Amino acid sequence: MSEPSTDPGGNAELREFLRSRRARITPEDAGLPPRSGTRRVPGLRREEVAQLAGVSVDYYVRLERGRGTNVSEGVLDAVARALCLNDTERGHLFALARPTRTRRRPMPAQRVRPGLYRILDTLTGNPALVLGHRSDVLASNRLARALYTDFEALPQRERNMARFVFLDPAARELYVDWERSARGTVASLHLYAGAHPDDPRLAELVGELSLRDGDFRRWWADHDVLRRSHGSKRYRHPLVGELTLDYEALNPTGDPEQTLGLHTAEPGSPSEDALRLLAAWSSPPATAPLPDHAPGEG
């Protein structure tokens, strides 16, 4: 049973994020002595978070209701420690509690530098793509399009990794652990939302995915956040079968809001063989060499 407090005003994202983090922490996890009796709420009570953070209950209640203003860095740090937030969650809390609000308007279109395009083209043996705001796919090389889908053939607004993961039926077959990948996609999008709460295209994307996919709608309500840096994923490709690829997420110098995603296979592994086969399949046909002279000439 959840606590019976609702507040339609205030910072809704901050309110729901703090509630979701509080619900997952038990008193034992937080270092509090166990108490007898039945607890009415999952996780910590508000007064327990206030006690751990060293603030008054009234102050924490206002903060969790999204009513806190001019919250100090010290208080946010104390709340982050009380809720056992990791570094990514802590940064998200700061972004939500101290937002820079602007009039909701379209954000400037992102551009990929010509040099970055050339880098993608040289990576003929590794899938590589550039993601921007809202996980928009800004650029991809031939092998990334063979692995996922031909993003460049899609209308501009549909070139988005979250849309691919949730709305393209092929994605559920491609990812061996689709749920894990999909949850990570939602968590990455939530992290972006904390930094860009007034992005109208984000609101449009979240609204569309929430309407069309029940999994997205349910996981969005969890308020998990994730910053992708590296890891591995397993795929089941219709042409080359199963392969495991490691990925690295790199931010180009000068544009931290673009991410270059590189995929590699372990040398000598079956995955490397499968990736090589996929690269051969996706390569353009060889052009026949031109003759030394035109037909019919001496």
Side-chain angles (χ1 to χ4, degrees), residues 186-209:
V186 175
S188 295
L189 202 59
H190 240 310
L191 186 67
Y192 172 83
H196 301 280
D198 296 309
D199 181 355
R201 288 184 57 191
L202 171 68
E204 175 190 349
L205 175 64
V206 171
E208 178 185 1
L209 295 179

PDB file of all heavy atoms in Angstrom, residues 186-209:
ATOM      1  N   VAL A 186      14.875   2.806 -21.951  1.00  0.00           N
ATOM      2  CA  VAL A 186      13.968   3.679 -21.193  1.00  0.00           C
ATOM      3  C   VAL A 186      14.748   4.474 -20.151  1.00  0.00           C
ATOM      4  O   VAL A 186      14.540   5.689 -19.988  1.00  0.00           O
ATOM      5  CB  VAL A 186      12.864   2.854 -20.520  1.00  0.00           C
ATOM      6  CG1 VAL A 186      11.997   3.735 -19.627  1.00  0.00           C
ATOM      7  CG2 VAL A 186      11.998   2.162 -21.560  1.00  0.00           C
ATOM      8  N   ALA A 187      15.660   3.801 -19.439  1.00  0.00           N
ATOM      9  CA  ALA A 187      16.420   4.470 -18.384  1.00  0.00           C
ATOM     10  C   ALA A 187      17.325   5.559 -18.967  1.00  0.00           C
ATOM     11  O   ALA A 187      17.497   6.624 -18.365  1.00  0.00           O
ATOM     12  CB  ALA A 187      17.240   3.449 -17.603  1.00  0.00           C
ATOM     13  N   SER A 188      17.905   5.308 -20.131  1.00  0.00           N
ATOM     14  CA  SER A 188      18.732   6.336 -20.785  1.00  0.00           C
ATOM     15  C   SER A 188      17.886   7.531 -21.195  1.00  0.00           C
ATOM     16  O   SER A 188      18.306   8.689 -21.068  1.00  0.00           O
ATOM     17  CB  SER A 188      19.426   5.740 -22.016  1.00  0.00           C
ATOM     18  OG  SER A 188      20.337   4.733 -21.649  1.00  0.00           O
ATOM     19  N   LEU A 189      16.676   7.254 -21.670  1.00  0.00           N
ATOM     20  CA  LEU A 189      15.779   8.333 -22.080  1.00  0.00           C
ATOM     21  C   LEU A 189      15.325   9.143 -20.871  1.00  0.00           C
ATOM     22  O   LEU A 189      15.186  10.369 -20.944  1.00  0.00           O
ATOM     23  CB  LEU A 189      14.575   7.733 -22.809  1.00  0.00           C
ATOM     24  CG  LEU A 189      13.790   8.640 -23.753  1.00  0.00           C
ATOM     25  CD1 LEU A 189      14.696   9.183 -24.847  1.00  0.00           C
ATOM     26  CD2 LEU A 189      12.632   7.856 -24.367  1.00  0.00           C
ATOM     27  N   HIS A 190      15.130   8.474 -19.732  1.00  0.00           N
ATOM     28  CA  HIS A 190      14.745   9.191 -18.514  1.00  0.00           C
ATOM     29  C   HIS A 190      15.876  10.110 -18.047  1.00  0.00           C
ATOM     30  O   HIS A 190      15.620  11.221 -17.552  1.00  0.00           O
ATOM     31  CB  HIS A 190      14.400   8.204 -17.398  1.00  0.00           C
ATOM     32  CG  HIS A 190      12.998   8.344 -16.897  1.00  0.00           C
ATOM     33  ND1 HIS A 190      12.446   9.556 -16.524  1.00  0.00           N
ATOM     34  CD2 HIS A 190      12.023   7.425 -16.715  1.00  0.00           C
ATOM     35  CE1 HIS A 190      11.206   9.365 -16.137  1.00  0.00           C
ATOM     36  NE2 HIS A 190      10.920   8.096 -16.240  1.00  0.00           N
ATOM     37  N   LEU A 191      17.108   9.651 -18.188  1.00  0.00           N
ATOM     38  CA  LEU A 191      18.239  10.500 -17.816  1.00  0.00           C
ATOM     39  C   LEU A 191      18.269  11.755 -18.680  1.00  0.00           C
ATOM     40  O   LEU A 191      18.497  12.868 -18.186  1.00  0.00           O
ATOM     41  CB  LEU A 191      19.544   9.714 -17.964  1.00  0.00           C
ATOM     42  CG  LEU A 191      20.807  10.409 -17.468  1.00  0.00           C
ATOM     43  CD1 LEU A 191      20.776  10.588 -15.953  1.00  0.00           C
ATOM     44  CD2 LEU A 191      22.050   9.615 -17.876  1.00  0.00           C
ATOM     45  N   TYR A 192      18.022  11.591 -19.968  1.00  0.00           N
ATOM     46  CA  TYR A 192      17.955  12.741 -20.870  1.00  0.00           C
ATOM     47  C   TYR A 192      16.825  13.679 -20.460  1.00  0.00           C
ATOM     48  O   TYR A 192      16.966  14.898 -20.484  1.00  0.00           O
ATOM     49  CB  TYR A 192      17.758  12.266 -22.312  1.00  0.00           C
ATOM     50  CG  TYR A 192      17.489  13.386 -23.282  1.00  0.00           C
ATOM     51  CD1 TYR A 192      18.526  14.121 -23.836  1.00  0.00           C
ATOM     52  CD2 TYR A 192      16.177  13.741 -23.629  1.00  0.00           C
ATOM     53  CE1 TYR A 192      18.278  15.171 -24.713  1.00  0.00           C
ATOM     54  CE2 TYR A 192      15.917  14.786 -24.494  1.00  0.00           C
ATOM     55  CZ  TYR A 192      16.974  15.493 -25.033  1.00  0.00           C
ATOM     56  OH  TYR A 192      16.725  16.547 -25.883  1.00  0.00           O
ATOM     57  N   ALA A 193      15.690  13.098 -20.064  1.00  0.00           N
ATOM     58  CA  ALA A 193      14.538  13.919 -19.684  1.00  0.00           C
ATOM     59  C   ALA A 193      14.854  14.804 -18.490  1.00  0.00           C
ATOM     60  O   ALA A 193      14.360  15.936 -18.395  1.00  0.00           O
ATOM     61  CB  ALA A 193      13.339  13.014 -19.367  1.00  0.00           C
ATOM     62  N   GLY A 194      15.674  14.313 -17.559  1.00  0.00           N
ATOM     63  CA  GLY A 194      16.040  15.126 -16.411  1.00  0.00           C
ATOM     64  C   GLY A 194      16.851  16.349 -16.796  1.00  0.00           C
ATOM     65  O   GLY A 194      16.717  17.410 -16.190  1.00  0.00           O
ATOM     66  N   ALA A 195      17.679  16.201 -17.828  1.00  0.00           N
ATOM     67  CA  ALA A 195      18.518  17.317 -18.267  1.00  0.00           C
ATOM     68  C   ALA A 195      17.791  18.238 -19.240  1.00  0.00           C
ATOM     69  O   ALA A 195      18.163  19.405 -19.384  1.00  0.00           O
ATOM     70  CB  ALA A 195      19.790  16.781 -18.922  1.00  0.00           C
ATOM     71  N   HIS A 196      16.759  17.719 -19.915  1.00  0.00           N
ATOM     72  CA  HIS A 196      16.042  18.511 -20.931  1.00  0.00           C
ATOM     73  C   HIS A 196      14.533  18.393 -20.715  1.00  0.00           C
ATOM     74  O   HIS A 196      13.808  17.861 -21.564  1.00  0.00           O
ATOM     75  CB  HIS A 196      16.415  18.020 -22.333  1.00  0.00           C
ATOM     76  CG  HIS A 196      17.874  18.109 -22.641  1.00  0.00           C
ATOM     77  ND1 HIS A 196      18.491  19.278 -23.027  1.00  0.00           N
ATOM     78  CD2 HIS A 196      18.853  17.164 -22.603  1.00  0.00           C
ATOM     79  CE1 HIS A 196      19.777  19.059 -23.220  1.00  0.00           C
ATOM     80  NE2 HIS A 196      20.020  17.789 -22.961  1.00  0.00           N
ATOM     81  N   PRO A 197      14.025  18.886 -19.594  1.00  0.00           N
ATOM     82  CA  PRO A 197      12.594  18.707 -19.283  1.00  0.00           C
ATOM     83  C   PRO A 197      11.660  19.463 -20.216  1.00  0.00           C
ATOM     84  O   PRO A 197      10.476  19.148 -20.279  1.00  0.00           O
ATOM     85  CB  PRO A 197      12.483  19.238 -17.847  1.00  0.00           C
ATOM     86  CG  PRO A 197      13.604  20.237 -17.731  1.00  0.00           C
ATOM     87  CD  PRO A 197      14.726  19.662 -18.551  1.00  0.00           C
ATOM     88  N   ASP A 198      12.186  20.444 -20.947  1.00  0.00           N
ATOM     89  CA  ASP A 198      11.324  21.268 -21.787  1.00  0.00           C
ATOM     90  C   ASP A 198      11.487  20.985 -23.273  1.00  0.00           C
ATOM     91  O   ASP A 198      11.143  21.815 -24.111  1.00  0.00           O
ATOM     92  CB  ASP A 198      11.593  22.751 -21.509  1.00  0.00           C
ATOM     93  CG  ASP A 198      11.222  23.137 -20.087  1.00  0.00           C
ATOM     94  OD1 ASP A 198      10.098  22.823 -19.673  1.00  0.00           O
ATOM     95  OD2 ASP A 198      12.064  23.713 -19.380  1.00  0.00           O
ATOM     96  N   ASP A 199      12.005  19.812 -23.607  1.00  0.00           N
ATOM     97  CA  ASP A 199      12.166  19.425 -25.001  1.00  0.00           C
ATOM     98  C   ASP A 199      10.818  18.927 -25.526  1.00  0.00           C
ATOM     99  O   ASP A 199      10.351  17.861 -25.130  1.00  0.00           O
ATOM    100  CB  ASP A 199      13.226  18.318 -25.106  1.00  0.00           C
ATOM    101  CG  ASP A 199      13.460  17.871 -26.550  1.00  0.00           C
ATOM    102  OD1 ASP A 199      12.744  18.339 -27.452  1.00  0.00           O
ATOM    103  OD2 ASP A 199      14.358  17.037 -26.765  1.00  0.00           O
ATOM    104  N   PRO A 200      10.157  19.658 -26.426  1.00  0.00           N
ATOM    105  CA  PRO A 200       8.824  19.234 -26.884  1.00  0.00           C
ATOM    106  C   PRO A 200       8.854  17.936 -27.676  1.00  0.00           C
ATOM    107  O   PRO A 200       7.899  17.161 -27.645  1.00  0.00           O
ATOM    108  CB  PRO A 200       8.350  20.416 -27.745  1.00  0.00           C
ATOM    109  CG  PRO A 200       9.599  21.117 -28.161  1.00  0.00           C
ATOM    110  CD  PRO A 200      10.580  20.938 -27.038  1.00  0.00           C
ATOM    111  N   ARG A 201       9.945  17.661 -28.387  1.00  0.00           N
ATOM    112  CA  ARG A 201      10.017  16.412 -29.144  1.00  0.00           C
ATOM    113  C   ARG A 201      10.181  15.221 -28.208  1.00  0.00           C
ATOM    114  O   ARG A 201       9.760  14.110 -28.533  1.00  0.00           O
ATOM    115  CB  ARG A 201      11.153  16.479 -30.158  1.00  0.00           C
ATOM    116  CG  ARG A 201      10.860  17.409 -31.336  1.00  0.00           C
ATOM    117  CD  ARG A 201      11.953  17.380 -32.379  1.00  0.00           C
ATOM    118  NE  ARG A 201      12.181  16.031 -32.874  1.00  0.00           N
ATOM    119  CZ  ARG A 201      13.231  15.700 -33.631  1.00  0.00           C
ATOM    120  NH1 ARG A 201      14.141  16.613 -33.945  1.00  0.00           N
ATOM    121  NH2 ARG A 201      13.377  14.456 -34.060  1.00  0.00           N
ATOM    122  N   LEU A 202      10.786  15.439 -27.046  1.00  0.00           N
ATOM    123  CA  LEU A 202      10.848  14.377 -26.048  1.00  0.00           C
ATOM    124  C   LEU A 202       9.446  14.051 -25.549  1.00  0.00           C
ATOM    125  O   LEU A 202       9.065  12.879 -25.437  1.00  0.00           O
ATOM    126  CB  LEU A 202      11.734  14.788 -24.874  1.00  0.00           C
ATOM    127  CG  LEU A 202      11.701  13.837 -23.672  1.00  0.00           C
ATOM    128  CD1 LEU A 202      12.338  12.503 -24.019  1.00  0.00           C
ATOM    129  CD2 LEU A 202      12.385  14.466 -22.465  1.00  0.00           C
ATOM    130  N   ALA A 203       8.665  15.074 -25.239  1.00  0.00           N
ATOM    131  CA  ALA A 203       7.296  14.851 -24.780  1.00  0.00           C
ATOM    132  C   ALA A 203       6.486  14.106 -25.833  1.00  0.00           C
ATOM    133  O   ALA A 203       5.695  13.203 -25.517  1.00  0.00           O
ATOM    134  CB  ALA A 203       6.636  16.192 -24.436  1.00  0.00           C
ATOM    135  N   GLU A 204       6.691  14.451 -27.096  1.00  0.00           N
ATOM    136  CA  GLU A 204       5.995  13.771 -28.188  1.00  0.00           C
ATOM    137  C   GLU A 204       6.411  12.305 -28.257  1.00  0.00           C
ATOM    138  O   GLU A 204       5.566  11.402 -28.400  1.00  0.00           O
ATOM    139  CB  GLU A 204       6.323  14.468 -29.514  1.00  0.00           C
ATOM    140  CG  GLU A 204       5.739  13.769 -30.740  1.00  0.00           C
ATOM    141  CD  GLU A 204       6.278  14.358 -32.041  1.00  0.00           C
ATOM    142  OE1 GLU A 204       6.929  15.417 -31.989  1.00  0.00           O
ATOM    143  OE2 GLU A 204       6.048  13.748 -33.094  1.00  0.00           O
ATOM    144  N   LEU A 205       7.717  12.035 -28.127  1.00  0.00           N
ATOM    145  CA  LEU A 205       8.221  10.669 -28.197  1.00  0.00           C
ATOM    146  C   LEU A 205       7.696   9.819 -27.041  1.00  0.00           C
ATOM    147  O   LEU A 205       7.217   8.700 -27.245  1.00  0.00           O
ATOM    148  CB  LEU A 205       9.753  10.682 -28.184  1.00  0.00           C
ATOM    149  CG  LEU A 205      10.450   9.318 -28.135  1.00  0.00           C
ATOM    150  CD1 LEU A 205      10.144   8.503 -29.390  1.00  0.00           C
ATOM    151  CD2 LEU A 205      11.962   9.509 -27.971  1.00  0.00           C
ATOM    152  N   VAL A 206       7.793  10.343 -25.830  1.00  0.00           N
ATOM    153  CA  VAL A 206       7.333   9.589 -24.659  1.00  0.00           C
ATOM    154  C   VAL A 206       5.826   9.345 -24.750  1.00  0.00           C
ATOM    155  O   VAL A 206       5.343   8.248 -24.426  1.00  0.00           O
ATOM    156  CB  VAL A 206       7.694  10.343 -23.364  1.00  0.00           C
ATOM    157  CG1 VAL A 206       7.036   9.692 -22.147  1.00  0.00           C
ATOM    158  CG2 VAL A 206       9.213  10.373 -23.180  1.00  0.00           C
ATOM    159  N   GLY A 207       5.085  10.337 -25.204  1.00  0.00           N
ATOM    160  CA  GLY A 207       3.647  10.164 -25.344  1.00  0.00           C
ATOM    161  C   GLY A 207       3.304   9.085 -26.356  1.00  0.00           C
ATOM    162  O   GLY A 207       2.421   8.243 -26.114  1.00  0.00           O
ATOM    163  N   GLU A 208       4.001   9.091 -27.485  1.00  0.00           N
ATOM    164  CA  GLU A 208       3.729   8.084 -28.515  1.00  0.00           C
ATOM    165  C   GLU A 208       4.070   6.682 -28.029  1.00  0.00           C
ATOM    166  O   GLU A 208       3.271   5.737 -28.189  1.00  0.00           O
ATOM    167  CB  GLU A 208       4.534   8.405 -29.779  1.00  0.00           C
ATOM    168  CG  GLU A 208       4.348   7.365 -30.882  1.00  0.00           C
ATOM    169  CD  GLU A 208       5.242   7.617 -32.084  1.00  0.00           C
ATOM    170  OE1 GLU A 208       6.023   8.594 -32.063  1.00  0.00           O
ATOM    171  OE2 GLU A 208       5.165   6.823 -33.042  1.00  0.00           O
ATOM    172  N   LEU A 209       5.251   6.523 -27.425  1.00  0.00           N
ATOM    173  CA  LEU A 209       5.661   5.201 -26.964  1.00  0.00           C
ATOM    174  C   LEU A 209       4.776   4.707 -25.825  1.00  0.00           C
ATOM    175  O   LEU A 209       4.466   3.514 -25.737  1.00  0.00           O
ATOM    176  CB  LEU A 209       7.127   5.228 -26.534  1.00  0.00           C
ATOM    177  CG  LEU A 209       8.148   5.504 -27.643  1.00  0.00           C
ATOM    178  CD1 LEU A 209       9.561   5.537 -27.076  1.00  0.00           C
ATOM    179  CD2 LEU A 209       8.045   4.472 -28.758  1.00  0.00           C
TER     180      LEU A 209
END
